[in-house]
């Protein structure tokens, strides 16, 4: 991934006490960062606001996370925006989220053009309201030729459903004689997930202190480093992002092997 180091230094110039971009090894920035954006409701409730206002504030934090990822030279940023379980929320909150997805995407298209960001979606989009689906398709079409960072939004996403869908596709291809059962290996499954062609996440960030995966990327997170922060999603800044990367670089990733000296 191409990175403009001057732009990055300017972006991180006003560092708070004890935190510095100089402590980050720019040669070891994770390729794929994934985020479970959690705590919007609590952020709003703590301010005496409707939960939905937390999602509105969450959009600003998401825009900052996209910009930060681009500045850092991350190849893929993926975020969990709406799970298959989130339909159980009050109807007005679901409606607001669907509206927010559509309006935000339209509003942010210039940013995606300017930063050469390619949009992707993980999840079953067929169940979304038509307006949201149309805007998502527009986002996909308009950014398809972009060669910079991939920004993937998981919407109506559930990992078990994703794996079942891949299994169904494998079964269909075997039944149709397009694939031999002996060729059904890890690669065959990976290639049929929403994340096909993308590297697995190196780092998963979850906000609001929860220690759960919530049916998110269960297959893809097999060797991913986890970073949990107490910050609620609307409060998550480029500084929290930097803290996460510094923690990531302090870990030793062994992928089941031994530490090499
Ligand atoms: C989790 O917080 C957040 C969500 C389910 C929605 C995430 C959506 C956004 C940040 C808006 C993003 C907009 C676009 C365009 C993708 P929660 O509601 O579960 O918070 P809680 O745990 O405090 O109740």
């Amino acid at each position: 991934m191409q990175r403009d180091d001057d732009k990055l230094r300017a972006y991180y110039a006003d560092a708070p006490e004890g935190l510095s971009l100089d402590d980050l090894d720019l040669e070891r920035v994770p390729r794929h960062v994934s985020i479970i954006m959690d705590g919007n409701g609590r952020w709003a409730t703590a301010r005496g606001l409707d939960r939905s206002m937390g999602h509105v504030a969450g959009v600003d934090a998401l825009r900052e996370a996209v910009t930060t990822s681009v500045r850092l030279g991350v190849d893929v940023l993926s975020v969990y925006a709406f799970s298959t379980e989130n339909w159980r929320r009050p109807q007005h909150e679901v409606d607001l989220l669907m509206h927010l997805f559509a309006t935000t995407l339209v509003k942010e298209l210039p940013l995606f053009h300017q930063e050469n960001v390619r949009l992707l979606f993980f999840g079953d989009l067929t169940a979304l309201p038509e307006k949201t689906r149309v805007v998502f398709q527009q986002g996909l079409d308009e950014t398809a030729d972009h060669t910079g960072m991939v920004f993937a939004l998981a919407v109506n996403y559930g990992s078990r459903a994703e794996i079942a869908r891949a299994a169904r596709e494998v079964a269909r291809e075997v039944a149709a004689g397009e694939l031999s059962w002996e060729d059904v290996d890890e690669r065959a499954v990976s290639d049929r997930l929403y994340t096909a062609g993308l590297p697995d996440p190196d780092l998963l960030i979850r906000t609001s202190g929860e220690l759960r995966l919530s049916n998110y990327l269960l297959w893809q997170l097999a060797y991913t480093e986890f970073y949990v922060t107490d910050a609620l999603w609307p409060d998550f800044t480029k500084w929290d992002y930097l803290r996460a990367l510094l923690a990531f670089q302090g870990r030793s990733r062994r992928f089941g092997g031994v530490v090499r000296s």
Side-chain angles (χ1 to χ4, degrees):
M1 171 63 56
Q2 272 198 328
R3 178 180 51 226
D4 184 329
D5 284 356
D6 290 338
K7 261 192 184 174
L8 176 63
R9 284 184 210 296
Y11 185 68
Y12 269 118
D14 53 337
E17 186 77 31
L19 200 57
S20 170
L21 180 68
D22 294 340
D23 293 331
L24 193 71
D25 180 352
L26 294 180
E27 301 308 312
R28 290 197 303 127
V29 168
R31 286 185 69 196
H32 182 169
V33 175
S34 197
I35 306 180
I36 300 180
M37 309 180 290
D38 198 10
N40 292 352
R42 273 164 286 168
W43 183 93
T45 307
R47 285 164 178 74
L49 303 169
D50 186 76
R51 292 175 48 82
S52 299
M53 294 314 291
H55 301 314
V56 173
V59 172
D60 292 333
L62 182 55
R63 185 184 308 105
E64 181 166 330
V66 170
T67 304
T68 306
S69 304
V70 170
R71 292 287 164 270
L72 286 162
V74 165
D75 289 334
V76 183
L77 172 69
S78 54
V79 298
Y80 204 5
F82 193 89
S83 74
T84 45
E85 290 73 35
N86 285 154
W87 296 108
R88 295 187 203 132
R89 295 188 173 209
Q91 191 59 42
H92 80 275
E93 185 176 339
V94 171
D95 291 345
L96 180 281
L97 278 168
M98 292 301 151
H99 174 73
L100 208 55
F101 294 156
T103 51
T104 303
L105 217 70
V106 171
K107 221 170 97 198
E108 301 303 335
L109 271 176
L111 173 71
F112 301 149
H113 288 308
Q114 180 194 312
E115 301 291 354
N116 196 20
V117 167
R118 181 160 67 95
L119 266 181
L120 276 186
F121 293 96
F122 304 158
D124 177 10
L125 304 185
T126 59
L128 304 184
E130 175 162 9
K131 184 173 162 236
T132 309
R133 253 186 303 130
V134 167
V135 169
F136 281 9
Q137 192 56 51
Q138 183 194 348
L140 285 173
D141 294 342
E142 286 198 24
T143 66
D145 294 334
H146 291 176
T147 54
M149 187 182 81
V150 169
F151 174 42
L153 282 159
V155 180
N156 193 24
Y157 175 85
S159 187
R160 289 183 174 180
E162 176 189 35
I163 294 168
R165 174 178 170 272
R168 213 158 44 241
E169 177 57 19
V170 163
R172 189 198 63 73
E173 289 175 36
V174 170
E178 296 163 12
L179 181 70
S180 160
W181 67 268
E182 290 155 307
D183 292 331
V184 180
D185 53 12
E186 291 186 16
R187 178 68 195 266
V189 176
S190 286
D191 286 350
R192 288 158 184 81
L193 299 174
Y194 293 119
T195 46
L198 300 178
D200 285 340
D202 302 290
L203 172 65
L204 174 77
I205 299 171
R206 181 162 189 156
T207 57
S208 90
E210 306 288 351
L211 302 172
R212 279 191 299 278
L213 272 184
S214 303
N215 199 15
Y216 185 59
L217 300 181
L218 302 180
W219 175 283
Q220 297 88 338
L221 295 174
Y223 288 102
T224 302
E225 296 292 331
F226 290 5
Y227 178 85
V228 176
T229 170
D230 285 336
L232 304 176
W233 176 249
D235 292 328
F236 187 86
T237 66
K238 63 183 176 182
W239 303 110
D240 297 299
Y241 201 133
L242 180 57
R243 283 187 193 94
L245 291 202
L246 290 170
F248 168 80
Q249 291 193 343
R251 311 259 180 96
S252 95
R253 300 186 77 195
R254 297 188 292 280
F255 298 96
V258 292
V259 190
R260 280 178 290 265
S261 54

